[in-house]
Amino acid sequence: VNSVLKELVFGKNSESPEEHFIDCVCELVRSIGHTLDSTPQGKDMILFLMRRLRDLRQEDQFSTRVKLKMLDLLELRSNGWVQKQFKDTAKKVAEVREEAAKESRNERAGREKQFFNVAVAGARPAHVQAIIVRSKLQKAAERQAQDQEERAREAARPATALDVKALRRGLSYFGGEDCTG
């Protein structure tokens, strides 16, 4: 990811990048920015990118659309990757009914209607996070089972385990002869 982003932001031979490269960078960072910003190496990369985008925004070679896209990305990061979503995603019928009931309760209570939702841009999707958590739990259970098996094997060993090498050294020391045979 690091090398791709650097190539897109700097262009070839350290020239100014083409406009469509910056457009791609903005979309990519919007998609994975929160996840990158949560790791130490990713945080350094995001800081580097944001400085570069701030510098590129000052240049006159880019269209207003791309300059605004860069500004949106800079503001998105400064807001902690939280963005407003004006259009809803597809919902099940039960979810729509639940939302309608919630809105009617809010209207009766005199609360204002919200016209947008708030979401974290670039966050790892919940189903991916659930897979990671399940994997970690499964590995922990496997380690625990291995530890229990090891403890059971240790408990099954005889208490007076004979160390053959130590016995031979002791015999050769006290016996004065080579007792390795």
Side-chain angles (χ1 to χ4, degrees):
V1 174
N2 190 15
S3 61
V4 170
L5 287 172
K6 282 185 180 178
E7 187 175 323
L8 288 172
V9 169
F10 280 106
K12 295 183 180 180
N13 302 326
S14 297
E15 300 170 359
S16 279
E18 296 178 31
E19 187 168 306
H20 64 278
F21 286 168
I22 298 302
D23 198 10
C24 289
V25 166
C26 290
E27 287 300 318
L28 179 62
V29 174
R30 180 179 294 277
S31 299
I32 64 172
H34 180 266
T35 305
L36 277 178
D37 216 2
S38 63
T39 65
Q41 294 112 350
K43 189 176 287 284
D44 293 340
M45 187 185 334
I46 291 291
L47 285 171
F48 170 77
L49 270 170
M50 294 300 141
R51 273 190 298 246
R52 179 68 174 151
L53 289 177
R54 209 172 293 120
D55 293 343
L56 289 173
R57 212 173 133 256
Q58 304 304 320
E59 295 180 12
D60 290 331
Q61 75 179 46
F62 300 111
S63 68
T64 305
R65 182 187 69 81
V66 171
K67 285 182 179 182
L68 288 174
K69 213 168 196 181
M70 287 188 267
L71 179 63
D72 286 345
L73 189 62
L74 292 166
E75 288 176 352
L76 183 63
R77 181 166 186 265
S78 68
N79 291 334
W81 300 103
V82 176
Q83 69 180 3
K84 294 178 182 177
Q85 293 181 328
F86 292 100
K87 64 178 184 179
D88 288 331
T89 58
K91 297 178 185 176
K92 296 179 181 176
V93 174
E95 291 173 336
V96 171
R97 288 183 180 139
E98 182 181 316
E99 191 174 298
K102 187 177 180 181
E103 283 181 16
S104 67
R105 283 192 306 267
N106 286 341
E107 284 179 14
R108 281 182 276 175
R111 296 186 191 123
E112 289 184 32
K113 184 176 180 181
Q114 285 188 342
F115 293 102
F116 56 85
N117 294 326
V118 177
V120 176
R124 185 175 281 156
H127 68 278
V128 173
Q129 193 64 31
I131 291 170
I132 292 169
V133 168
R134 267 191 307 241
S135 172
K136 287 180 180 179
L137 290 173
Q138 185 178 7
K139 287 178 184 177
E142 289 171 359
R143 270 189 255 119
Q144 186 177 16
Q146 289 173 350
D147 290 346
Q148 287 176 348
E149 287 175 14
E150 183 66 30
R151 279 190 232 114
R153 273 186 259 145
E154 287 178 11
R157 287 187 193 146
T160 58
L162 187 61
D163 187 0
V164 176
K165 287 184 179 179
L167 181 62
R168 286 185 179 158
R169 275 185 277 150
L171 287 174
S172 67
Y173 176 76
F174 288 110
E177 298 175 14
D178 187 18
C179 297
T180 59

